[in-house]
């Protein structure tokens, strides 16, 4: 049965040809086309070790590929090797035909300056000299450790093996929870006596440059919370499996790691670190301190991150006395974004350090005297943010970095490469073009490859000089003709004022290929308001999840409201102990302004969906703003910040755990549900405790609220990319917002 509100809209064209089987089929075709075309636009340059050239894989129409080499000085382009000759050589050794435009090359590496290629096919690993054309089998390269994800903890530096001193005469080693120092001949020089199973020395050892001292680390061990879940349908057995893993949550006791200075002169002595400047350090399980010794061995430094993330210090410890002093003392009344905006680099020859801080309200770099702690000068300044430091040149005393908001008149989230002197002089923007820039520096940093685009402009790849930003050559320029001929519509960037009436809120609007401005379309927001980043797409090749929803008769929007990252500190601070806000006041104002701009946007029928923190946000929209949002899909949401991982939630909600945690919990507020809700959860989610979703279910049942739910057996974090779940999400919105039977 159609909803009354939709029946009243009647002949206005709202229901015609929306959510039908033809729409689903067109959506599938459009998704396949967009995925293929955008995949052809990817350019990932790999520089040769000497910086003389780089190579990249170029997608060809129809799914083929070619490998191109570009010379750094001239920008001259040519095939990286003879594709036909390699195809013929591979055919000879594999005994099957090989298409020169579809070479089955995986893990390709250019060795010896490009004189030799190593690659993998389904048959094994191979090497070829492009000049001779002969392919020969080779042993696979040593396995590299997996690249860390942004949310991974740093790998521990612990080792049971002896660590040799810089003078090569001594070793230090962890033994029975203590540290033993010996000569190379095995004579014991010093042994700690106070380590035990509850307070062991960890084994992360850092010798002083002169070999007279070393820093060991001692850990206070605490119980680790365990999360248990049941895998109902394991692949290797009939009966369910029970899984248990370590998972600290907000407020849990955490290990405490402190440095211990060991001086070897006079028979040896251990100096435990003074706790006055470091009373409540924050550490995850398995983490170590990152120790940096002064060049002369007179002091060592470490970073103290106070639990609650409102104090961040660089502490210096005198190697002669063990006395501690604060070289940098960063404080915030809200939070310090240690996970996204921390940068520290020691300039040992000059006794300086480069430090990142939001102390003036924007994320910038500062030059600090590492002896006195005095700020010598701000390196960068202005109403824009440093996003990432790429290189500190000690000889030229310059820094290469990526920044957002640096170019006036452009979207403040767009990244540009810039250079500045350590004295703050000579700020130069090295990238050109109104778009967001992905930069790959050559190993010698004399040149860089710049791939830039916007959501409404296809990518351009350029080779530029780092000295002045001058363009050496245009490498590639893509166009979206195939997409446009198929009816795909360029997304629209849209800006409206936020809740304060002054701040620009940026977002993107996606419309169907069948868009008719005379019709009315329900609006669906794809949300992720995690404060660690900003998420509305900026690059042409970045498509939001399920952008093909538009083809079913919807307009899709993505918005970055207040409380998300990469604007001013005040913009970011909106999230402080306030994750339930999720920028909704700004998002709703933005959509109202967008609907005034485009009356085809029907704000009487607004849906919302997201995963993880976005799942938390999607449900929050129905609980706190149910007068605006009429339907939502929440996937693997961290619905109660007391139930989720410790580091992410204490970063934004604070520590100790206070009343804001419960006040903004989706569980606490479940009785306020309005609108249609579909809950999704992965049965074996190791990122967010699946019980977080089930506790929402419990509260909804107790409040007698109607909802739908899908538990996906065997799925880890994030289920919306699973084909069945994707269909269920689309069907849900078609039923709820269009009021029709899917694929009818």
């Amino acid at each position: 049965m159609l909803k009354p509100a939709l029946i009243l809209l009647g002949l206005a064209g709202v229901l015609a040809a929306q959510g039908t089987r033809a729409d689903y089929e067109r959506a599938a075709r459009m998704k396949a086309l967009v995925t293929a075309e955008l995949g052809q636009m990817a350019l990932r340059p790999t520089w040769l070790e000497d910086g003389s050239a780089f190579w990249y894989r170029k997608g060809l129409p129809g799914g083929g590929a070619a490998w191109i080499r570009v010379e750094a000085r001239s920008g001259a382009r040519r095939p990286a090797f003879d594709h036909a000759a390699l195809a013929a050589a591979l055919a000879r050794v594999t005994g099957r035909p090989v298409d020169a435009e579809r070479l089955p090359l995986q893990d390709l590496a250019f060795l010896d300056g490009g004189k030799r290629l190593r690659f993998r096919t389904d048959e094994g690993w191979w090497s070829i000299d492009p000049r001779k054309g002969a392919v020969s089998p080779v042993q696979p390269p040593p396995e590299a450790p997996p690249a860390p994800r942004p949310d991974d903890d740093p790998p521990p530096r612990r080792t049971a093996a002896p660590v040799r001193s810089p003078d090569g005469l001594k070793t230090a080693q962890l033994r029975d929870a203590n540290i033993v120092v010996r000569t190379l001949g095995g004579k014991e020089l010093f042994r700690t006596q106070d380590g035990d199973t509850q307070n062991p020395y960890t084994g992360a050892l850092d010798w002083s440059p002169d070999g007279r001292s070393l820093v060991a680390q001692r850990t206070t061990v605490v119980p680790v919370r365990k999360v248990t879940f049941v895998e109902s349908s394991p692949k290797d057995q009939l009966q369910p499996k029970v899984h248990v893993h370590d998972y600290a949550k907000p407020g849990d006791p955490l290990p405490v790691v402190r440095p211990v200075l060991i001086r070897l002169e006079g028979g040896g002595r251990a100096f435990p670190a003074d706790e006055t400047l470091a009373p409540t350090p924050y550490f995850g399980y398995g983490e170590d301190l990152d120790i940096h010794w002064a060049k002369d061995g007179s002091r060592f430094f470490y970073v103290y991150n106070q639990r609650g993330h409102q104090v961040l210090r660089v502490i210096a410890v005198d190697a002669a006395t063990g006395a501690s002093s604060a070289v940098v003392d960063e404080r915030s009344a809200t939070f310090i974004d240690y996970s996204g905006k921390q940068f520290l680099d020691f300039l040992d020859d000059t006794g300086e350090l480069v430090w990142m801080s939001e102390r003036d309200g924007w994320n910038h770099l500062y030059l600090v005297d590492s002896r006195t702690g005095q700020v010598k000068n701000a390196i960068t300044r202005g109403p824009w943010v440093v996003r990432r430091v790429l290189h500190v040149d000690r000889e030229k005393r310059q820094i290469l970095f990526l920044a957002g908001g640096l170019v006036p008149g452009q979207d403040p989230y767009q990244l540009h490469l810039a250079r500045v002197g350590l004295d703050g002089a000579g700020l130069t923007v090295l990238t050109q073009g109104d778009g967001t820039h992905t930069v790959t520096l050559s190993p010698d940093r004399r040149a860089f490859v710049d791939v830039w685009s916007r959501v409404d402009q296809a990518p351009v790849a350029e080779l530029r000089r780092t000295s002045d930003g001058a363009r050496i050559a245009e490498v590639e320029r893509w166009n979206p003709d195939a997409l446009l001929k198929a009816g795909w519509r360029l997304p629209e960037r849209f800006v409206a004022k936020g809740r304060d009436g002054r701040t620009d809120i940026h977002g993107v609007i996606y419309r169907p290929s069948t868009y008719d401005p005379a019709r009315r379309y329900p609006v669906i927001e794809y949300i992720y308001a995690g404060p660690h980043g900003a998420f509305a797409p900026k690059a042409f090749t970045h498509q939001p999840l399920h952008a093909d929803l538009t083809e079913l008769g919807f307009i899709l929007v993505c918005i970055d409201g207040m409380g998300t990252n990469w604007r001013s500190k005040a913009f970011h601070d909106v999230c402080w102990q306030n994750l339930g806000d999720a920028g909704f006041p700004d998002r709703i104002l933005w959509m109202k302004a967008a609907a005034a701009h485009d009356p085809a946007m029907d704000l009487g029928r607004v849906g919302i969906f997201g995963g993880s923190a976005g799942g938390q946000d999607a449900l929050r929209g129905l609980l706190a703003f149910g007068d605006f949002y009429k339907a939502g899909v929440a996937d693997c949401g961290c619905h109660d910040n007391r139930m989720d991982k410790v580091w992410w939630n204490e970063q934004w909600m604070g520590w100790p755990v206070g009343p804001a945690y419960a006040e903004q919990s989706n569980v606490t507020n479940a009785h306020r549900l309005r609108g249609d809700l579909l809950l999704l959860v992965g049965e074996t989610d190791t990122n967010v405790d699946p019980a977080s979703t089930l506790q929402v279910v419990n509260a909804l049942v107790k409040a007698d609220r109607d909802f739908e739910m899908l538990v996906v057996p065997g799925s880890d974090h994030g289920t919306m990319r699973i084909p069945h779940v994707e269909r269920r999400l689309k069907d849900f919105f078609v039923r709820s917002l269009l009021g029709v039977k899917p694929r009818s």
Side-chain angles (χ1 to χ4, degrees):
M1 176 176 289
L2 299 183
K3 296 183 178 182
L6 297 182
I7 295 174
L8 291 176
L9 291 170
L11 299 178
V14 176
L15 300 180
Q18 292 179 324
T20 68
R21 183 174 299 278
D23 295 323
Y24 275 81
E25 292 172 352
R26 186 177 62 256
R29 291 194 302 271
M30 190 64 73
K31 179 179 181 178
L33 176 63
V34 171
T35 300
E37 287 296 315
L38 296 188
Q40 298 298 326
M41 296 180 185
L43 189 149
R44 299 179 181 88
T46 300
W47 284 92
L48 300 184
E49 291 182 359
D50 61 3
S52 62
F54 68 90
W55 61 270
Y56 65 96
R57 179 186 184 277
K58 178 181 180 179
L60 300 176
W67 281 262
I68 308 297
R69 174 176 171 138
V70 181
E71 302 302 321
R73 282 194 173 185
S74 65
R77 300 167 70 253
R78 59 181 172 84
F81 49 84
D82 188 327
H83 292 60
L86 180 54
L90 277 176
R92 286 194 297 271
V93 296
T94 62
R96 58 180 177 82
V98 177
D99 187 338
E101 290 192 357
R102 285 174 171 78
L103 292 169
L105 309 184
Q106 304 174 60
D107 301 318
L108 178 65
F110 284 64
L111 308 177
D112 302 331
K115 297 177 182 178
R116 184 166 60 89
L117 309 181
R118 184 185 63 209
F119 55 89
R120 178 170 60 89
T121 68
D122 290 343
E123 290 80 12
W125 286 88
W126 308 92
S127 176
I128 183 172
D129 181 340
R131 296 166 299 181
K132 299 178 181 178
V135 174
S136 57
V138 294
Q139 292 296 316
E143 280 194 28
R149 298 174 300 177
D151 58 350
D152 280 345
D153 290 330
R157 295 179 292 117
R158 303 175 181 185
T159 175
V163 180
R164 186 174 293 192
S165 61
D167 58 14
L169 301 177
K170 300 177 288 293
T171 65
Q173 186 176 15
L174 176 68
R175 180 65 58 88
D176 299 326
N178 281 283
I179 301 297
V180 181
V181 181
R182 294 186 174 93
T183 65
L184 287 186
K187 179 183 178 181
E188 185 172 305
L189 300 175
F190 179 76
R191 178 190 294 263
T192 61
Q193 302 291 336
D194 53 348
D196 55 37
T197 56
Q198 293 305 305
N199 294 277
Y201 287 86
T202 65
L205 305 174
D206 295 272
W207 282 97
S208 64
D210 56 15
R212 295 180 176 181
S213 307
L214 72 146
V215 179
Q217 300 183 31
R218 198 172 178 205
T219 300
T220 300
V221 178
V222 297
V224 184
R225 180 188 293 274
K226 306 291 184 182
V227 167
T228 303
F229 57 81
V230 176
E231 182 183 6
S232 66
S233 312
K235 296 179 180 179
D236 59 346
Q237 66 184 48
L238 174 64
Q239 298 302 323
K241 285 184 179 179
V242 176
H243 297 269
V244 181
H245 65 107
D246 296 346
Y247 192 95
K249 297 185 179 184
D252 283 357
L254 294 177
V256 173
V257 183
R258 296 191 185 279
V260 178
L261 171 67
I262 298 176
R263 288 188 56 81
L264 298 176
E265 295 176 341
R269 181 182 174 188
F271 296 82
D274 183 357
E275 299 180 14
T276 305
L277 290 172
T280 54
Y282 171 85
F283 282 95
Y285 296 98
E287 285 189 50
D288 291 320
L289 289 165
D290 191 3
I291 301 298
H292 179 85
W293 276 97
K295 193 173 183 179
D296 61 3
S298 63
R299 298 189 298 168
F300 71 86
F301 304 85
Y302 70 98
V303 174
Y304 165 70
N305 180 9
Q306 186 159 295
R307 192 165 185 185
H309 311 301
Q310 294 178 300
V311 176
L312 192 66
R313 294 188 176 116
V314 179
I315 295 177
V317 179
D318 188 283
T321 66
S324 297
S325 60
V327 177
V328 176
D329 193 352
E330 197 77 36
R331 298 169 183 260
S332 173
T334 56
F335 58 83
I336 296 169
D337 184 3
Y338 79 96
S339 60
K341 296 174 182 167
Q342 185 182 157
F343 180 80
L344 170 62
D345 193 16
F346 290 92
L347 311 180
D348 293 318
D349 290 339
T350 55
E352 299 166 311
L353 61 85
V354 178
W355 178 251
M356 182 178 283
S357 169
E358 290 187 284
R359 61 185 61 182
D360 75 348
W362 300 85
N363 196 45
H364 283 300
L365 300 172
Y366 295 84
L367 186 65
V368 179
D369 188 317
S370 65
R371 302 180 185 91
T372 67
Q374 294 296 310
V375 175
K376 301 181 74 169
N377 58 264
I379 299 173
T380 59
R381 57 168 63 87
W384 48 274
V385 297
V386 174
R387 294 279 298 269
R388 181 184 170 197
V389 175
L390 298 184
H391 179 64
V392 179
D393 189 322
R394 287 157 170 75
E395 292 184 4
K396 296 181 180 179
R397 292 184 65 79
Q398 295 176 339
I399 293 182
L400 288 172
F401 64 95
L402 294 172
L406 184 55
V407 179
Q410 292 191 18
D411 183 324
Y413 297 95
Q414 293 179 174
L415 293 178
H416 279 272
L417 176 67
R419 182 185 60 245
V420 68
L422 289 175
D423 59 359
L427 177 64
T428 305
V429 179
L430 299 173
T431 46
Q432 299 179 18
D434 182 359
T436 194
H437 297 253
T438 299
V439 169
T440 307
L441 292 169
S442 64
D444 57 13
R445 288 174 290 278
R446 294 183 178 180
F448 63 92
V449 180
D450 175 24
V451 181
W452 66 275
S453 69
R454 294 193 310 265
V455 292
D456 56 356
Q457 178 174 308
V460 177
E462 300 171 325
L463 174 64
R464 291 183 175 272
R465 285 199 305 261
T466 310
S467 59
D468 56 5
R471 189 174 73 178
I472 299 171
E474 182 175 286
V475 179
E476 295 284 353
R477 179 179 292 268
W478 291 271
N479 66 64
D481 287 354
L483 293 169
L484 298 177
K485 289 177 182 177
W488 183 76
R489 300 181 65 88
L490 286 171
E492 179 185 2
R493 298 181 296 153
F494 188 76
V495 182
K497 297 300 179 185
R499 69 188 78 179
D500 59 4
R502 302 186 307 275
T503 304
D504 284 341
I505 303 298
H506 292 254
V508 186
I509 303 172
Y510 297 82
R511 297 180 176 86
S513 61
T514 56
Y515 171 76
D516 179 351
R519 294 174 61 179
R520 300 273 284 167
Y521 298 86
V523 177
I524 298 177
E525 180 183 3
Y526 177 43
I527 189 170
Y528 194 99
H532 56 283
F535 304 95
K538 300 299 169 187
F540 188 84
T541 52
H542 183 187
Q543 288 285 301
L545 188 63
H546 304 325
D548 56 318
L549 265 170
T550 56
E551 295 302 313
L552 305 183
F554 302 105
I555 288 177
L556 182 70
V557 299
C558 299
I559 313 157
D560 285 315
M562 291 186 184
T564 51
N565 212 339
W566 307 126
R567 301 285 291 277
S568 68
K569 174 66 171 164
F571 188 102
H572 202 187
D573 275 350
V574 170
C575 76
W576 169 238
Q577 296 186 343
N578 190 32
L579 287 182
D581 178 278
F584 278 117
D586 312 301
R587 297 167 184 277
I588 291 170
L589 286 172
W590 185 96
M591 280 186 266
K592 288 179 177 178
H597 161 72
D598 181 6
M601 297 175 66
D602 183 358
L603 297 191
R605 296 178 291 159
V606 180
I608 185 170
F609 75 101
S612 194
Q616 177 184 17
D617 301 331
L619 178 52
R620 179 70 175 181
L622 297 181
L623 302 181
F625 302 92
D627 57 336
F628 185 78
Y629 295 98
K630 299 302 187 289
V633 179
D635 179 31
C636 297
C638 39
H639 295 293
D640 187 314
N641 297 105
R642 296 168 295 184
M643 287 287 291
D644 193 31
K645 62 194 75 66
V646 59
W647 72 268
W648 193 86
N649 295 274
E650 287 189 6
Q651 166 80 93
W652 319 115
M653 293 295 289
W655 176 84
V657 172
Y661 278 83
E663 290 167 359
Q664 300 189 37
S665 164
N666 286 347
V667 177
T668 305
N669 292 283
H671 64 281
R672 301 173 59 191
L673 176 66
R674 284 184 285 175
D676 299 333
L677 169 65
L678 171 59
L679 289 170
L680 306 171
V681 64
E683 175 187 60
T684 58
D685 190 344
T686 56
N687 185 303
V688 174
D689 188 345
S692 188
T693 295
L694 272 296
Q695 289 185 0
V696 170
V697 170
N698 182 51
L700 290 171
V701 169
K702 289 181 176 179
D704 196 23
R705 293 291 189 268
D706 291 336
F707 63 96
E708 298 179 35
M709 182 180 182
L710 176 61
V711 178
V712 184
S715 176
D716 202 336
H717 192 58
T719 71
M720 290 190 293
R721 296 185 186 276
I722 298 171
H724 173 79
V725 180
E726 180 180 353
R727 178 186 63 79
R728 291 284 294 273
L729 178 145
K730 289 178 166 64
D731 290 353
F732 172 82
F733 282 126
V734 167
R735 291 195 310 270
S736 181
L737 297 179
L738 294 178
V740 300
K741 181 181 179 181
R743 297 176 303 283
S744 57

